[in-house]
Amino acid sequence: MTSYMHLHPSAVDYIELDAGERVQWLKRPRWIGYPRAQEVMGKLEDLLRHPREARMPNMLLIGGTNNGKTRLIRNFAQRHPAEENPGGEHIFAPVLYTQAPPAPSESGFYSEILNTLFEKVPTSSADAKRARVIQVLRGIQLKVLIVDELHNILAGASVKQQQFLNMIKYLSNELQISIVGCGTGDLLRAVSIDPQIQNRFVPELLPRWQMNKEFRQLLMSFERILPLRNPSELHEPQLAGKLLAMCEGTIGELSTLLNMAATYAIQQGHEQISADVLNACGYLPPSDRTRQAARA
Ligand SMILES: Nc1ncnc2c1ncn2[C@@H]1O[C@H](COP(=O)(O)OP(=O)(O)OP(=O)(O)O)[C@@H](O)[C@H]1O
Ligand SMILES: [Mg+2]
């Protein structure tokens, strides 16, 4: 009998499936709680537990594109879903996930929040929308408001950016809630302009992956959930180095690369990922794609 010791128990169930089904299984979203993600998750839980006070702690989750910000913050939000509130007019929702509008528009943000909660959006002024947002967020007893893609505000003039950040500060003060803004490094620059904003938002970074113990552990975690019948030993120095160079240090690219390699390994009957499989699976590193686009 074959041993599937290299696999996580949930992957073992899938290992007996045929090739097509295993390729489908690879496409399912997955969550790996790597140490930095767990650490940030702990700080998010602290925000949720923080007693309401005049000056609430806020967070900026900062990282390059495709490096796990949305995945992490959505995972946090899913751990704290809305609940029925039999006595009240509103549901009870301690955590709310929203995205910043494409440009720094106060009114656009209020509509986004109300839409997320399936509330009617007042058609009148921004003031009316703000009043409704305050009322509704108080009603659901919100504790943590997540604003993903907050770097979108950089698409506006600097005055508009600061206005948007002031509005967020206002919501935090008025409702005594913590705000978690997520975005790329550029966001830090915009936030650092106003000391009042800067000292209220603690940056937490999701840095690019480098060759170290954490990266090799991440590879082991991925390997345990890939439905391949033979071990690949992804964490071995040569293979790990090649994977890091190809994915250029983001977990999103690594995930895509491993899926393409695993698909190829399943379809070709290799049942393991090797350097040859990585070369042959059709994956192009991000900077090669950029170069190709520039030539086109
Ligand atoms: N903890 C994780 N476990 C497994 N896969 C992950 C994890 N975090 C991220 N990924 C993979 O990386 C991809 C990109 O992650 P995510 O969408 O969170 O990036 P992002 O930092 O929000 O990027 P952007 O700034 O472009 O929005 C995900 O679609 C998923 O495949
Ligand atoms: Mg994102």
Side-chain angles (χ1 to χ4, degrees):
M1 208 193 119
T2 326
S3 158
Y4 298 130
M5 284 284 284
H6 62 295
L7 291 174
H8 185 272
S10 69
V12 175
D13 302 339
Y14 289 87
I15 207 76
E16 306 295 349
L17 297 177
D18 68 30
E21 286 168 312
R22 283 187 290 145
V23 168
Q24 271 320 107
W25 191 68
L26 277 172
K27 295 182 181 142
R28 299 187 335 168
R30 50 198 169 204
W31 165 255
I32 294 173
Y34 53 91
R36 180 62 185 143
Q38 301 286 21
E39 198 177 1
V40 174
M41 199 65 90
K43 293 182 180 189
L44 290 164
E45 295 291 341
D46 289 345
L47 290 183
L48 190 59
R49 273 194 300 264
H50 196 91
R52 292 191 199 269
E53 59 173 16
R55 194 188 176 92
M56 295 296 283
N58 300 309
M59 184 195 289
L60 284 180
L61 183 57
I62 300 291
T65 181
N66 220 352
N67 208 15
K69 301 180 293 298
T70 299
R71 196 72 193 71
L72 198 165
I73 206 73
R74 280 221 177 251
N75 195 285
F76 171 68
Q78 277 158 12
R79 288 173 193 216
H80 303 284
E83 287 165 30
E84 293 296 327
N85 181 3
E89 181 196 345
H90 296 280
I91 51 165
F92 172 65
V95 176
L96 188 65
Y97 173 91
T98 65
Q99 289 184 40
S105 147
E106 182 177 355
S107 191
F109 185 54
Y110 296 146
S111 302
E112 159 81 21
I113 292 179
L114 293 172
N115 285 328
T116 305
L117 289 164
F118 306 107
E119 289 282 336
K120 233 177 90 204
V121 181
T123 47
S124 49
S125 63
D127 287 348
K129 287 186 189 173
R130 184 191 309 114
R132 183 66 189 145
V133 163
I134 299 269
Q135 188 185 27
V136 171
L137 294 187
R138 210 167 256 147
I140 64 171
Q141 297 177 42
L142 185 70
K143 271 308 299 290
V144 176
L145 177 64
I146 297 163
V147 191
D148 202 356
E149 313 280 346
L150 189 52
H151 50 252
N152 279 351
I153 65 167
L154 300 172
S158 131
V159 180
K160 288 269 174 199
Q161 296 176 18
Q162 293 305 310
Q163 275 173 0
F164 196 89
L165 292 171
N166 282 340
M167 176 265 293
I168 285 193
K169 184 179 72 177
Y170 174 84
L171 286 182
S172 171
N173 290 343
E174 181 66 21
L175 293 164
Q176 301 191 332
I177 57 175
S178 294
I179 309 247
V180 179
C182 309
T184 51
D186 294 340
L187 176 62
L188 268 185
R189 195 168 33 80
V191 166
S192 65
I193 293 173
D194 180 351
Q196 265 217 327
I197 304 271
Q198 192 189 31
N199 66 34
R200 278 177 172 78
F201 282 85
V202 179
E204 296 291 345
L205 306 184
L206 288 182
R208 257 176 197 279
W209 292 84
Q210 290 176 347
M211 184 48 67
N212 51 27
K213 199 171 97 233
E214 282 76 33
F215 182 65
R216 285 194 294 270
Q217 271 171 356
L218 180 70
L219 293 178
M220 285 189 213
S221 304
F222 267 112
E223 178 156 357
R224 274 197 290 275
I225 51 177
L226 292 177
L228 294 173
R229 294 187 174 150
N230 301 330
S232 307
E233 313 277 9
L234 299 177
H235 61 281
E236 288 295 326
Q238 250 189 332
L239 213 43
K242 187 170 175 62
L243 284 162
L244 182 62
M246 289 177 83
C247 77
E248 297 175 1
T250 68
I251 193 171
E253 288 295 333
L254 178 66
S255 175
T256 304
L257 167 58
L258 289 175
N259 272 6
M260 289 178 75
T263 301
Y264 183 87
I266 291 170
Q267 286 168 347
Q268 302 293 318
H270 299 300
E271 292 297 341
Q272 80 188 91
I273 295 175
S274 61
D276 289 341
V277 167
L278 289 176
N279 289 333
C281 72
Y283 173 84
L284 266 188
S287 51
D288 286 3
R289 295 200 294 266
T290 315
R291 267 197 292 278
Q292 216 171 44
R295 273 202 300 274

